[in-house]
Amino acid sequence: MYTSQQIIGDYMISIGMRHYFEDLLLQYKVDMAFWAHYHSYERTCQVNNTICQKGAPIHIVVGTAGKELDTEPHWKFSWSEFYMNAYGYGRVTVHDRHSLLWEWIKVDEEGARLVDSVLLEK
């Protein structure tokens, strides 16, 4: 639903997805939404209608484990907090019923290392 990668056709589809699904994610109090399709990594702020706001979902595009990476550049949007065109994988750790940690680990010839994370607390 949220991608800043410069692929016009797919970007237009993401706008349509926001139109049809964003209110449902808010209605059902979704904290974090995982998406794929792009072969890159991107994480948003808590975002609703392209505006960062507390209580909205964080959107994560994580399609970085295998296929060749998408190399298109990214537009600079205020809701896009982190993006990278690199191989890697995500990890979710549930600490307790009030906190969840999302981590993205980049993997390359130098090994695996944590490069992005966000902690959700309720």
Side-chain angles (χ1 to χ4, degrees):
M1 275 184 39
Y2 280 90
T3 179
S4 65
Q5 206 152 22
Q6 294 182 21
I7 304 172
I8 298 298
D10 289 345
Y11 180 72
M12 297 306 291
I13 290 169
S14 75
I15 292 171
M17 289 178 69
R18 280 183 250 166
H19 174 77
Y20 288 106
F21 296 114
E22 197 151 39
D23 289 342
L24 288 172
L25 296 178
L26 290 171
Q27 178 182 345
Y28 290 101
K29 298 180 171 76
V30 172
D31 296 314
M32 190 175 281
F34 295 95
W35 307 92
H37 182 69
Y38 287 110
H39 299 278
S40 62
Y41 173 74
E42 185 165 19
R43 178 180 52 81
T44 71
C45 61
Q46 291 178 298
V47 62
N48 177 40
N49 197 25
T50 71
I51 298 168
C52 295
Q53 58 184 281
K54 191 172 174 85
I58 294 171
H59 295 266
I60 295 175
V61 174
V62 58
T64 56
K67 187 188 176 299
E68 69 182 56
L69 296 169
D70 289 328
T71 58
E72 290 79 9
H74 288 76
W75 286 300
K76 305 287 186 206
F77 291 118
S78 61
W79 46 259
S80 179
E81 290 197 337
F82 188 91
Y83 63 84
M84 183 174 275
N85 293 339
Y87 290 108
Y89 61 92
R91 179 169 55 203
V92 173
T93 304
V94 178
H95 292 289
D96 56 37
R97 55 188 254 174
H98 301 288
S99 63
L100 178 144
L101 177 65
W102 163 258
E103 299 172 302
W104 188 71
I105 291 79
K106 178 182 176 184
V107 179
D108 58 21
E109 60 279 345
E110 297 174 15
R113 62 192 173 287
L114 175 67
V115 295
D116 187 48
S117 65
V118 64
L119 179 65
L120 287 177
E121 295 182 299
K122 290 215 156 212

